[in-house]
Amino acid sequence: MNANKWMSMQFFGFFFTFGIFVPYWSIWLVADKNFSPDQAGIIIAIGLLTRAMTTFFLFPLASQYMGLARLNQWVVFLSVLLFVLLIPANSFLAVIVTTFFISLLYPMPLAMHEAMASRLMKKGEIAYGRSRSFGSFGYIVALLLMGIMISILGERVIIYVMIGGLLLFALLASLRAPSTLREKNDPAGMSIKKLFQSKSFVFVLLLCVILQSAHAAYYSYAVLFLGNLGVRPEYIGFLLLIAVIAEIVFFFISDSLFKKGSVTTLLMFSVTASIVRWMSLFLFGNVFIFILSQLLHAFTFGLTQVAFMKYLDRHIKNQFFPYAHGLYAALGLSLGNGLLTIVSGYLFSISPSYAFLGMAIICLPCFLLIYLLKVTLKNHNDHKKSNEERQMHAN
C-alpha cells in the first residue's frame, strides 16, 4: 500500500471517531449517564485539559521510545478498551477517572498523524492536502451517520457507534505502515528548548495558535448565534456542514494550488480571511452572510494548517516534528481555544455579535508577526547563502 493511501486511511479513521466524540459526547453524558449539563461540562473540561497535556508532553515523550506507526496502533487499541470501560461506569467519579485516562491516549493522533504526515512529506511520499481531506470527510460521515442513528435508536447508541468507529480505526491502524514511520525517531538533539531557539518557529507557532484559537466563538456559539437569527434547529446542522465541505475541497486542491507559495504569503491570506470572516459576522447579522463566511473556513482553518506543515517541511528537522505538532495541538487546538471560549462567552453575553468582533481583534497582531517572520526568514536565508559562498571559495 502506498504512503498516500495509508495516511489517508489513518486520517479518516481518527476523524470519523472525532466526529462522534466532539459534537455528541455531552449529549451522551446527559442522556445515557443522567448527568446534569454542569456535570457533563466538568467532565468535558477535564478531558480538554488532559488532551493539552497529552499532545504537549506525552506524545513527544512516547515518540522517543517507539516508532510512530507502532505508537498509533497501541493508542487506538487501548482507546477501544477504555471506551468499553465507560459502559458500566455510572458514578460521576468513575466517569471522570475513565475520561482522564481516555484523554491521555485517544486525542494523541491530533498531533501524531500530523507528525506522520510531516515525515512523509519530507520524504516526498505524500501530498498532504489530499490525504488530510480524508480526515474532514470522515468527520462529515460521522456527523451524518450519528444524526440518523440517534433519530432511530436514541442517544444511548452513541457509545456503541463510538466503539465501532474505534474498531474500524484499529483495523486501519493495523495495516502495514510505510517504512519511514516504522523507524524509531532519532532522539539525538531532540529537545523543546532547541526548537524554541528558532525565532521563525516561534513566530509561525504564535501565528497559527492565534488563528486557530480565534475559531473559539464559532465552535462554541455558532449554534446559539444562528438560533438568535431565527434559523430553525433542523437547518443549523446543514449550515455548519458548509464549513467542513469547504475545508475538504480546499485540502483536496491545496497541494497544487499552493505548491510554490511562501509560508508568509499563505499566512497573510489566512489572517486576512480570518479578520474578514469574523468582522462580517459582527457587522452583518443575517443568514446569507453567515453562509458566505462558512466558505472562508477553507482559509481560516485549512490554509493555516497547510502553512504550518509547509514551514516544518522547509525549515525543521524530522526529530523535532513530535514536539512541533504537540505544541501546535496543545496550544492552538486545546488551551488557546479554551481560553478564548471564556472570552467569547463573556462577549456573547453582552451581544452575540461582539464575540466575533473579539476574535477579529485578536487576529490583528498577526500582521506584525508576519512582518517579523518575513524578516527572520530573510536573514536566515541570507546567512545560509553567505556560508555556502564562503565554502565554495574555500574549496
Side-chain angles (χ1 to χ4, degrees):
M1 182 181 296
N2 67 44
N4 238 326
K5 188 179 290 186
W6 186 89
M7 196 68 246
S8 299
M9 287 182 174
Q10 304 314 305
F11 277 129
F12 180 89
F14 174 70
F15 279 101
F16 177 82
T17 64
F18 215 52
I20 301 166
F21 186 73
V22 172
Y24 292 105
W25 206 242
S26 59
I27 298 171
W28 178 74
L29 289 169
V30 172
D32 193 34
K33 293 299 181 183
N34 297 315
F35 294 137
S36 68
D38 286 347
Q39 288 175 314
I42 291 169
I43 293 168
I44 290 168
I46 288 170
L48 284 170
L49 290 172
T50 310
R51 184 169 93 188
M53 185 170 64
T54 295
T55 52
F56 189 72
F57 294 111
L58 189 59
F59 165 57
L61 180 65
S63 67
Q64 293 185 39
Y65 300 98
M66 195 181 296
L68 291 177
R70 179 58 58 86
L71 182 58
N72 188 46
Q73 291 173 341
W74 275 106
V75 164
V76 64
F77 292 149
L78 291 173
S79 294
V80 172
L81 296 176
L82 287 167
F83 273 95
V84 169
L85 289 177
L86 275 175
I87 296 173
N90 289 316
S91 73
F92 185 57
L93 180 60
V95 172
I96 281 182
V97 171
T98 311
T99 297
F100 172 77
F101 285 106
I102 285 172
S103 301
L104 279 177
L105 289 172
Y106 167 67
M108 203 178 285
L110 281 171
M112 180 168 56
H113 285 178
E114 299 296 335
M116 288 176 169
S118 284
R119 188 173 288 189
L120 293 170
M121 275 178 69
K122 201 85 164 177
K123 295 267 188 176
E125 295 183 58
I126 69 164
Y128 171 74
R130 188 160 293 193
S131 285
R132 181 59 179 77
S133 70
F134 279 83
S136 302
F137 179 67
Y139 194 91
I140 281 188
V141 171
L143 282 176
L144 297 176
L145 176 65
M146 257 343 300
I148 295 168
M149 295 293 286
I150 289 173
S151 67
I152 297 171
L153 300 171
E155 290 85 354
R156 290 179 183 273
V157 77
I158 293 171
I159 184 68
Y160 299 104
V161 180
M162 181 69 187
I163 292 169
L166 283 168
L167 288 171
L168 170 64
F169 184 17
L171 177 64
L172 296 174
S174 67
L175 297 172
R176 186 170 177 80
S179 58
T180 306
L181 302 179
R182 297 200 301 272
E183 302 165 0
K184 283 188 179 179
N185 199 34
D186 180 12
M190 179 180 173
S191 74
I192 199 166
K193 185 179 178 182
K194 285 197 173 183
L195 194 56
F196 274 109
Q197 285 173 355
S198 167
K199 287 183 181 179
S200 62
F201 173 76
V202 173
F203 290 139
V204 168
L205 181 66
L206 277 172
L207 277 159
C208 293
V209 166
I210 291 170
L211 292 171
Q212 295 292 17
S213 300
H215 288 79
Y218 168 72
Y219 290 149
S220 300
Y221 298 103
V223 172
L224 291 174
F225 183 74
L226 288 169
N228 287 339
L229 295 181
V231 179
R232 291 169 59 180
E234 57 266 34
Y235 297 127
I236 288 176
F238 291 103
L239 294 183
L240 297 180
L241 274 179
I242 294 170
V244 189
I245 293 169
E247 179 186 313
I248 291 173
V249 173
F250 170 81
F251 277 134
F252 199 76
I253 64 174
S254 64
D255 297 305
S256 55
L257 197 61
F258 298 105
K259 190 174 183 179
K260 295 182 180 179
S262 71
V263 172
T264 51
T265 300
L266 300 187
L267 286 169
M268 181 64 79
F269 276 122
S270 188
V271 173
T272 304
S274 296
I275 292 171
V276 169
R277 184 183 187 186
W278 309 133
M279 280 300 294
S280 67
L281 294 178
F282 165 65
L283 294 171
F284 309 103
N286 65 71
V287 178
F288 178 70
I289 294 297
F290 183 88
I291 291 171
L292 290 179
S293 76
Q294 287 290 78
L295 299 176
L296 289 175
H297 192 74
F299 300 98
T300 62
F301 175 82
L303 188 55
T304 303
Q305 194 91 353
V306 167
F308 188 71
M309 293 293 288
K310 277 192 176 294
Y311 172 80
L312 295 186
D313 183 44
R314 294 173 183 176
H315 301 283
I316 299 296
K317 293 179 180 178
N318 280 4
Q319 65 261 38
F320 292 105
F321 287 163
Y323 277 121
H325 285 294
L327 282 164
Y328 177 64
L331 300 177
L333 305 178
S334 297
L335 287 179
N337 229 297
L339 290 172
L340 289 190
T341 296
I342 296 170
V343 173
S344 56
Y346 171 74
L347 294 172
F348 193 92
S349 66
I350 299 171
S351 171
S353 64
Y354 280 12
F356 298 105
L357 173 63
M359 299 304 101
I361 291 170
I362 281 163
C363 291
L364 286 174
C366 289
F367 288 118
L368 174 60
L369 289 171
I370 288 174
Y371 171 75
L372 294 173
L373 173 62
K374 194 168 186 176
V375 171
T376 303
L377 288 174
K378 184 179 182 301
N379 290 341
H380 174 76
N381 290 335
D382 289 345
H383 181 69
K384 187 177 177 182
K385 188 177 178 182
S386 177
N387 285 341
E388 288 173 353
E389 287 175 353
R390 277 199 296 268
Q391 277 188 328
M392 284 176 65
H393 289 310
N395 293 334

